[in-house]
Amino acid sequence: MFEHIRISCESGVVTVTLDRPERLNAFAGHMRRDLAEILERAGSDPRVRVVVITGAGKAFCAGGDVEAMAELMERRDTEEFARLLGAGRRVVAAIRQMPKPVIASIPGPAAGAGCNLALACDIRLAARSATFAQSFVRLGLHPDWGGTYFLPRIVPPNIACEMFFLGDPVGAEEAWRLGLVNRVVADEELEAETRRWAERLRAAPPAVIAAAKHAVYASDHASLEQMMQYELEAQLRCFQTQDAREGVRAFLERRQPRFTGH
């Protein structure tokens, strides 16, 4: 249905695979727009509980296809370049605005827009061979896809400056030390580890996940008083759900809860 993007769905977990492995899954053609449409649909589909974004082969995403970019520069096609940037903005907005958890499963290099696509996700799981590079500077370009928002909120300003100014790749273990990723696992274990996380998130009460995701990102620009008011309202909403009643009963009965999303 979509060129260079594969979609699979199993038990409420949608996996979106960037599928251009011969080019390290670099964005070209309509890939950005297609990815935005896929994520927007997943975000509004009540059957979807978790979204996983990954890359085919040995890379996550190498960012924009430089050969395609060179063609735009040759034509001085600023209008088309702006459209591509707008599509990337849609992708990031779709991830942050959807009430479902989004996992980046990173099997290898994540560079440029690919790095910032990973940073936009709620959870990041990396294979040991993964690397992260803000490689824009090496092309004479400025970071995009929200990188200047995400990175300084994860790492200290001096580390963000180093990554933006030099564009050197950061290895998976160093990325974990800096807080860029949640877990680092052996390459051959990444798929299974991603499945474990997705299944745990799928089994969680969706109203709680949605409210907590909103709270995490709202706290970037809200006061303590505003966040406590939001917590009160979200807690009251959750208190009235069947999932909350099930969670309390399960705790008292010393068993695993069975959340249904109601």
Side-chain angles (χ1 to χ4, degrees), residues 24-244:
L24 300 181
N25 304 314
F27 289 110
H30 298 300
M31 283 180 71
R32 298 169 181 83
R33 183 198 66 190
D34 292 345
L35 181 58
E37 290 181 3
I38 291 165
L39 293 173
E40 287 165 355
R41 291 180 190 177
S44 61
D45 188 340
R47 298 167 297 180
V48 176
R49 299 282 284 270
V50 182
V51 175
V52 175
I53 302 175
T54 191
K58 297 182 178 181
F60 180 70
C61 176
D65 188 303
V66 179
E67 290 184 5
M69 202 176 303
E71 292 178 9
L72 292 180
M73 288 181 171
E74 187 67 25
R75 301 199 306 265
R76 299 183 183 276
D77 196 342
T78 305
E79 186 176 339
E80 176 61 18
F81 188 56
R83 277 197 290 269
L84 296 178
L85 294 176
R89 186 174 180 174
R90 276 181 64 194
V91 171
V92 172
I95 292 170
R96 282 303 175 97
Q97 291 170 9
M98 75 166 69
K100 295 93 184 276
V102 182
I103 301 172
S105 182
I106 306 157
C115 181
N116 293 332
L117 170 61
L119 296 185
C121 295
D122 306 309
I123 300 289
R124 290 175 290 279
L125 308 175
R128 197 154 283 125
S129 61
T131 58
F132 300 84
Q134 295 288 342
S135 50
F136 303 92
V137 67
R138 298 189 174 193
L139 300 175
L141 295 170
H142 187 275
D144 54 24
W145 285 61
T148 58
Y149 177 89
F150 299 129
L151 190 62
R153 283 168 167 76
I154 299 172
V155 302
N158 62 308
I159 301 299
C161 286
E162 177 183 347
M163 292 182 69
F164 286 138
F165 295 173
L166 300 180
D168 293 338
V170 173
E173 296 292 346
E174 178 67 3
W176 179 80
R177 190 185 70 80
L178 291 170
L180 289 170
V181 299
N182 297 76
R183 294 287 187 278
V184 176
V185 298
D187 290 26
E188 64 274 13
E189 295 175 5
L190 179 63
E191 185 175 347
E193 182 72 3
T194 301
R195 191 180 309 114
R196 281 192 289 271
W197 278 72
E199 289 173 354
R200 289 192 65 187
L201 290 169
R202 178 182 56 79
V208 175
I209 295 291
K213 175 172 177 173
H214 177 84
V216 166
Y217 300 128
S219 68
D220 280 334
H221 51 76
S223 67
L224 173 60
E225 182 58 35
Q226 288 172 321
M227 291 310 302
M228 289 194 297
Q229 178 62 30
Y230 173 79
E231 289 173 354
L232 184 152
E233 295 167 358
Q235 187 72 297
L236 287 175
R237 289 196 304 272
C238 292
F239 180 80
Q240 300 175 69
T241 63
Q242 293 180 25
D243 278 347

